[in-house]
Structure formats: C-alpha cells, structure tokens
Amino acid sequence: MPTDLSPTARALRTMELLRNRPGVTAGELAEHLHVTERAARRYVGILREAGIPVESTRGPYGGYRLGRGARLPPVAFTEPEALGLVMAVLDGQPAATDAGDVVGAALGKVIRALPESVGRQAAALREHASAAPDRSSARPDPAITSALVAAGADRRRVVVAYRSESGREWEAEVDPWAVVVRHGRWYLLCHSHHARAVRTYRVDRVREVRRTTRAFEPPDGLDPVAALEENLGTGWEFATRVVFDAPQEEVAPWIRPPMGRLEPRGGAPGEGCVLVGSTSNPSMYAQEWLPTIPFPFRVEGGPELRAAVATLVSRLTASLEPR
C-alpha cells in the first residue's frame, strides 16, 4: 500500500479490510495500512465518528468487524458489476423501471450513488431497457416477506392469513422454517400446527402475518430447497391420484414437484407407477400439467380432478365435431 495516502483514504481502506476480513486485529490492520497499531485504532475511530458501526471483541480470538447499522457504508462497484446489478433487478422486477415502484426507488438510490462514469451507463440501461414480466412469477408484499424471514430468523411462531388460488381463505399457526425462491415464486416452508404436517404456502397469497411469543426449533439438518420440492404437492384442498402405465423412471422426468409424489404401483417394477398429491386448482392440473405427459394414464381421484379432466375432454372432443 502506498505510504503517502491521506487519512481519509486510509480510513476507507480500513473499512474495506473490515468488510472483507471480519475479525481482523489491530495488528493486521496496521500491517496492511503500513502504520502503527495506535494509528490503525485511530482509523477505526474515524469510521465510528462517521456513523459506521464497527464492533470490537477482546481476547486472543478478538478483532474488529462491521456491525449492522442504519446507514449503508460506501460500496464501490465496477462498471460490469453495476450493469449486472441493474440487469438482474430489471429481469426479476420489470416494474423497477418506474421510480414509483419500491424496488425502482431503491435502484434509483443505488444508481445515484455510483460514480458518474458508471452511473451514466446504469441509468441509461434502466431508462431504455424494456422487460417483459414472467407470467409464472409472482411478486409478494415486501413487508410480509420481511416479517416471515424475520420470524424464521428469530425462531418465533406466526399466524398467517392465507388465500388459496381457488379463493378459499383461512388462518394457520405455523413455524416459519424458511422462505425459498423457486422459479420466480416465493414460498414459505413451514410446519402447520393445525394440520400437524409440513406445508408450503405461496408468499404472494399470504394476506397477513402476526408474530406470537411461542418459539420453535427447525428440524436438524433441514435443507429448505429439498424439503420444499418434496412437499410442494401436499396439503391442498383437493386430493389427486393418477396412475401411469409406464415405468417410474420414464415418467419421473415429466413430473413437477407441485404435482405430488411419484411411487411404484403395486410395489413391483414394471407395473407402472402412481402420482399421489393434492391441488387447489383442479382445472389447471387437468389442462396444463397432465396433457404434457406423453404416457397413458388414468385419473383415479379425486372427484374434482376427474370432473376437470372430463370437462377438458368434452371441450376438446367438441372442437373436432363438424359445424
């Protein structure tokens, strides 16, 4: 490091070291800054005076680290990083082109904080790029999402008010294990105390979150993504059961996790397989999911799914009849 840097430059370098190496000691700071330990502590003091929270721990394993505070410390982006950030935001949130959108307002603050040469490119990209929204994605309320994430981090049980795709509304007291983003949709993986089972709820369909005083402990070794995939097709209003006259290993690549669990039929290989699950929208299940599977199948249950398939068959049959 050059020895002729100003105190301000050394203070900024100190903050960079604290960000990249949490727990760095005064001696290590002094070594990287080419100053004495006393001077290194002085630069830490300058950061604190500027409102940047710097925590310190004494002892043989102690050191300095940046704490959590109300102010975002200065962040430096390269041009590719800044443009990549803007592209990622617009790709995931097309409405961010509008400064009135909450994400758009945050993106505007980031762009205004960038150096002029980089900020000009990022602002131009935001102004002139057009993004088509993903029809399958859904944007949850940031406040509700934040409340669920905070409750999960604090391990506090919550009561959620939920509205399913069919319009049915209910409340459930749950342990919010994790919030998982999957293919543009946000899910709450939780344990429902009413159902006494694992449930997966779309966060964009959660209407209200009320935190309770009761604590919970998530399962040991929980893999939120794997658990979500396993439970996406369970716990909904209408049961489903579909039998395939094809080997399980051939059918499996065509089955999406929300459709349910694929099992051997009769316990013997070669006897086909059965898909057991549930859905809140039998019409979608019948019209969008089942027709894409290129194997013979029979819908054994439930009655709602059978009725939806019958309606689809009748409509397609009618389309072939001459006028």
Side-chain angles (χ1 to χ4, degrees):
M1 183 176 181
T3 58
D4 58 346
L5 292 181
S6 68
T8 301
R10 292 187 188 277
L12 291 175
R13 175 57 176 159
T14 300
M15 186 179 65
E16 183 180 352
L17 290 168
L18 294 176
R19 182 188 298 120
N20 295 332
R21 301 182 58 185
V24 62
T25 64
E28 291 169 335
L29 283 176
E31 181 180 352
H32 283 83
L33 297 173
H34 296 288
V35 297
T36 64
E37 289 191 21
R38 181 179 179 183
R41 294 190 182 94
R42 187 167 63 249
Y43 292 126
V44 171
I46 292 174
L47 294 178
R48 288 170 171 165
E49 290 175 2
I52 298 172
V54 179
E55 300 173 351
S56 59
T57 306
R58 296 182 180 277
Y61 301 102
Y64 295 104
R65 67 185 66 243
L66 289 178
R68 296 182 179 274
R71 299 183 184 179
L72 182 67
V75 180
F77 293 105
T78 64
E79 183 172 320
E81 290 172 342
L83 298 181
L85 177 63
V86 175
M87 291 171 65
V89 172
L90 294 180
D91 183 56
Q93 180 87 348
T97 55
D98 182 4
D101 177 76
V102 61
V103 177
L107 181 60
K109 292 180 180 179
V110 172
I111 291 176
R112 287 193 295 272
L114 295 172
E116 182 180 358
S117 59
V118 180
R120 189 186 311 113
Q121 295 288 333
L125 176 62
R126 180 194 186 188
E127 180 179 355
H128 298 291
S130 298
D134 182 357
R135 291 189 304 169
S136 65
S137 65
R139 305 288 173 236
D141 186 311
I144 286 178
T145 307
S146 177
L148 291 172
V149 171
D154 295 339
R155 299 188 176 181
R156 286 292 179 268
R157 192 181 301 178
V158 297
V159 176
V160 297
Y162 194 81
R163 182 178 183 180
S164 70
E165 188 172 8
S166 63
R168 188 169 73 90
E169 298 185 5
W170 71 90
E171 289 191 349
E173 187 172 354
V174 303
D175 297 342
W177 290 349
V179 172
V180 182
V181 185
R182 180 185 181 276
H183 301 320
R185 290 183 176 175
W186 295 66
Y187 293 91
L188 171 65
L189 176 68
C190 61
H191 178 268
S192 169
H193 289 272
H194 175 73
R196 297 182 180 179
V198 178
R199 289 291 182 261
T200 55
Y201 295 131
R202 286 263 299 270
V203 178
D204 59 293
R205 294 179 183 158
V206 176
R207 302 305 179 195
E208 184 184 2
V209 179
R210 300 196 303 273
R211 183 188 285 223
T212 74
T213 58
R214 290 179 286 277
F216 73 89
E217 287 293 329
D220 292 336
L222 174 67
D223 183 336
V225 175
L228 178 78
E229 295 283 348
E230 182 180 350
N231 291 280
L232 267 177
T234 62
W236 302 108
E237 298 100 307
F238 308 113
T240 60
R241 180 180 174 87
V242 183
V243 176
F244 294 92
D245 296 325
Q248 181 177 353
E249 61 272 15
E250 295 183 15
V251 178
W254 297 89
I255 302 301
R256 301 170 55 185
M259 297 177 69
R261 184 177 63 257
L262 194 63
E263 303 173 342
R265 182 169 174 240
E271 293 188 11
C273 53
V274 57
L275 177 64
V276 181
S278 62
T279 182
S280 62
N281 192 336
S283 296
M284 181 190 68
Y285 201 109
Q287 296 175 23
E288 298 183 16
W289 289 353
L290 288 179
T292 64
I293 304 175
F295 300 102
F297 63 84
R298 298 185 305 281
V299 180
E300 294 187 349
E304 296 82 6
L305 180 58
R306 288 178 57 85
V309 172
T311 299
L312 175 62
V313 170
S314 176
R315 182 161 62 87
L316 294 178
T317 301
S319 70
L320 297 177
E321 295 177 356
R323 291 185 177 181

